[in-house]
C-alpha cells in the first residue's frame, strides 16, 4: 500500500506540473462552461431556457473524457515510448499497482473537476435537479470506458500518433457527445451514431440524472456505457504493449 500511495502521489504531482494537462482537465471545460453560458449562441434542447442548465451536466461528461482518456492516454503513451513503463513494471511496485496508481490519480483529479465545475455552474445560475446517485455510477462507468480507450491507443500506437489520435477523438466527442450541442439537434442518422458513443451515453445519463425534470436515465445509455466499460479495457489489455 505504501508503494501504491507513493506512485499515486507521483502521478498526481506529474499531472499538476504538466501545463497541457491543467489546460485540458480544468481550463478548457471551465472556459467552455463560462463562455457558452454567458454567450447564448449554441442550440438548446426543448424546454431549456438557460444555456447553463444544459451545459453543466455536459461539461461534467467532457471533464471525464479529458482526464480518463486524453490526459491518461497521452501521458501513458509517452511513458511507454521513453521506457518508463518498462522500468516501473519490473520494480517492486509491479504492473498491477502501477495501473492502480494511475486509476487512483484519475479519480482524484475527477473529484476536483466535479467540485469546480459544479461550483461554477451554480454560480452561473444552474438549476440543478434530479438525483446525484444515478450520476455516480454513470461517471464511474464512463471513467472505465474512456480510460480503456486511452490505454488502448497508448499501448498500440507510437506516442506522436497517439497524441494526434487522442486529440482528434476528443474533438469528435466534443461535437458529437452531447456535451455542448444537444444530441436532439443532430440529424437522425448522426444522432443514432452519437448515442452509440460512450460520450453520448454518458452525457445522456448525466443530463437525465442532474437536470431539473430530466427523468430517469435511459436504459440505452446504461447499456452503451456498460458495453464500452467492458469492451474498451478488454481490448486495451489484449493489445497493450509495455515497450
Amino acid at each position: 500500500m505504501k508503494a501504491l500511495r507513493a506512485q499515486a502521489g507521483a502521478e498526481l504531482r506529474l499531472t499538476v506540473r504538466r501545463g497541457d494537462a491543467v489546460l485540458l482537465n480544468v481550463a478548457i471545460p471551465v472556459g467552455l462552461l463560462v463562455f457558452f453560458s454567458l454567450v447564448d449562441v449554441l442550440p438548446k434542447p426543448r424546454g431549456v431556457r438557460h444555456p447553463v442548465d444544459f451545459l453543466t451536466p455536459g461539461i461534467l461528461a467532457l471533464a471525464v473524457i479529458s482526464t480518463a482518456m486524453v490526459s491518461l492516454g497521452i501521458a501513458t503513451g509517452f511513458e511507454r515510448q521513453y521506457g518508463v513503463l518498462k522500468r516501473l513494471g519490473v520494480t517492486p511496485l509491479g504492473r498491477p499497482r502501477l495501473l492502480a496508481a494511475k486509476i487512483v490519480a484519475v479519480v482524484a483529479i475527477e473529484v476536483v473537476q466535479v467540485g469546480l465545475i459544479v461550483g461554477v455552474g451554480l454560480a452561473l445560475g444552474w438549476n440543478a435537479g434530479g438525483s446525484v446517485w444515478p450520476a455516480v455510477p454513470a461517471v464511474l462507468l464512463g471513467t472505465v470506458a474512456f480510460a480503456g480507450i486511452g490505454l488502448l491507443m497508448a499501448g498500440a500506437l507510437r506516442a506522436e500518433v497517439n497524441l494526434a489520435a487522442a486529440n482528434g477523438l476528443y474533438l469528435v466527442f466534443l461535437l458529437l457527445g452531447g456535451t455542448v450541442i444537444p444530441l436532439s439537434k443532430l440529424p437522425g442518422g448522426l444522432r443514432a451514431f452519437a448515442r452509440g458513443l460512450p460520450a453520448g451515453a454518458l452525457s445522456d445519463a448525466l443530463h437525465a440524472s442532474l437536470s431539473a425534470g430530466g427523468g430517469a436515465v435511459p436504459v440505452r445509455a446504461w447499456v452503451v456505457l456498460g458495453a464500452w466499460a467492458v469492451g474498451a479495457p478488454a481490448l486495451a489489455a489484449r493489445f497493450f504493449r509495455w515497450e
Side-chain angles (χ1 to χ4, degrees):
M1 292 302 296
K2 289 183 179 179
L4 174 62
R5 288 196 298 269
Q7 185 61 30
E11 296 284 347
L12 282 171
R13 288 192 296 273
L14 288 172
T15 301
V16 172
R17 290 172 184 172
R18 286 170 35 225
D20 60 321
V22 175
L23 176 68
L24 182 68
N25 296 336
V26 177
I28 290 179
V30 172
L32 289 173
L33 176 60
V34 173
F35 180 81
F36 288 116
S37 294
L38 298 178
V39 181
D40 190 2
V41 296
L42 293 176
K44 298 185 292 292
R46 183 177 302 175
V48 175
R49 295 183 56 192
H50 303 292
V52 69
D53 292 334
F54 168 76
L55 286 170
T56 304
I59 294 299
L60 287 172
L62 187 65
V64 173
I65 299 170
S66 301
T67 304
M69 185 188 76
V70 185
S71 184
L72 174 64
I74 291 175
T76 304
F78 280 103
E79 288 174 352
R80 170 175 164 263
Q81 178 165 306
Y82 296 149
V84 175
L85 291 184
K86 178 184 177 181
R87 289 169 173 80
L88 287 175
V90 297
T91 65
L93 175 69
R95 292 181 178 182
R97 278 182 290 187
L98 173 60
L99 293 176
K102 288 184 175 293
I103 293 171
V104 169
V106 166
V107 172
I109 294 170
E110 287 181 347
V111 170
V112 175
Q113 286 176 305
V114 168
L116 182 60
I117 291 170
V118 168
V120 172
L122 292 173
L124 291 170
W126 176 35
N127 181 25
S131 173
V132 70
W133 299 114
V136 173
V139 168
L140 291 176
L141 285 174
T143 299
V144 173
F146 288 111
I149 296 172
L151 291 175
L152 173 61
M153 294 189 295
L157 304 174
R158 289 182 56 84
E160 295 81 3
V161 178
N162 172 53
L163 174 64
N167 284 316
L169 197 55
Y170 178 78
L171 182 60
V172 171
F173 287 153
L174 174 64
L175 297 176
L176 300 182
T179 55
V180 296
I181 300 175
L183 295 180
S184 60
K185 299 299 183 180
L186 298 177
L190 191 58
R191 185 189 315 135
F193 171 76
R195 291 193 188 281
L197 298 175
L202 179 58
S203 64
D204 268 351
L206 293 182
H207 281 120
S209 57
L210 298 178
S211 300
V217 176
V219 175
R220 177 197 63 253
W222 290 122
V223 171
V224 172
L225 273 178
W228 280 96
V230 172
L235 289 173
R238 171 65 179 82
F239 295 104
F240 193 92
R241 300 192 302 271
W242 287 79
E243 54 182 300

